Amino acid sequence: ASTTALPTTGVGQATISASAGSLASSNYSFGTLVDASLSITKAQAGAIAVEPILPIVVTNQTLMQQQKNVTSAVTSLISSVNQRSLQIDEQKNVDPNLDLANQ
């Protein structure tokens, strides 16, 4: 069988031509082949609502706040180390096995 219909064929009718072609069988007999008509109708377009994906906006203010947070954390760490160093300096007998990291 063959047809004149293509993917770009518009709404309407297209012919389907029947022919035996390579159709053959020793077990079956094929009667008269009849042409037919293909009906092409409009498809209903559908739409799906999807929540929009909002972009993440990083502003200079956000970056500046993050920088302040890091600076504050580093300053606190330095202060803590300095205080620990002063405590060790003030001790007369410093334990050589003192682990500063876990104090």
Side-chain angles (χ1 to χ4, degrees):
S2 63
T3 183
T4 56
L6 302 170
T8 56
T9 300
V11 172
Q13 301 288 322
T15 301
I16 299 174
S17 302
S19 63
S22 62
L23 187 61
S25 173
S26 59
N27 296 331
Y28 299 96
S29 64
F30 300 98
T32 306
L33 300 175
V34 179
D35 292 348
S37 181
L38 171 67
S39 295
I40 302 170
T41 58
K42 279 188 178 183
Q44 175 106 15
I48 299 173
V50 178
E51 278 192 49
I53 297 173
L54 301 176
I56 296 172
V57 178
V58 177
T59 62
N60 284 340
Q61 184 177 5
T62 303
L63 293 175
M64 287 172 31
Q65 183 59 48
Q66 289 176 348
Q67 182 180 9
K68 285 179 184 177
N69 293 346
V70 169
T71 301
S72 175
V74 170
T75 302
S76 177
L77 178 63
I78 291 171
S79 175
S80 176
V81 169
N82 286 339
Q83 287 175 359
R84 180 63 67 187
S85 295
L86 288 174
Q87 289 173 356
I88 292 172
D89 288 343
E90 291 172 355
Q91 293 178 0
K92 293 182 180 177
N93 298 317
V94 177
D95 182 0
N97 297 317
L98 184 63
D99 183 2
L100 292 177
N102 293 315
Q103 293 298 315

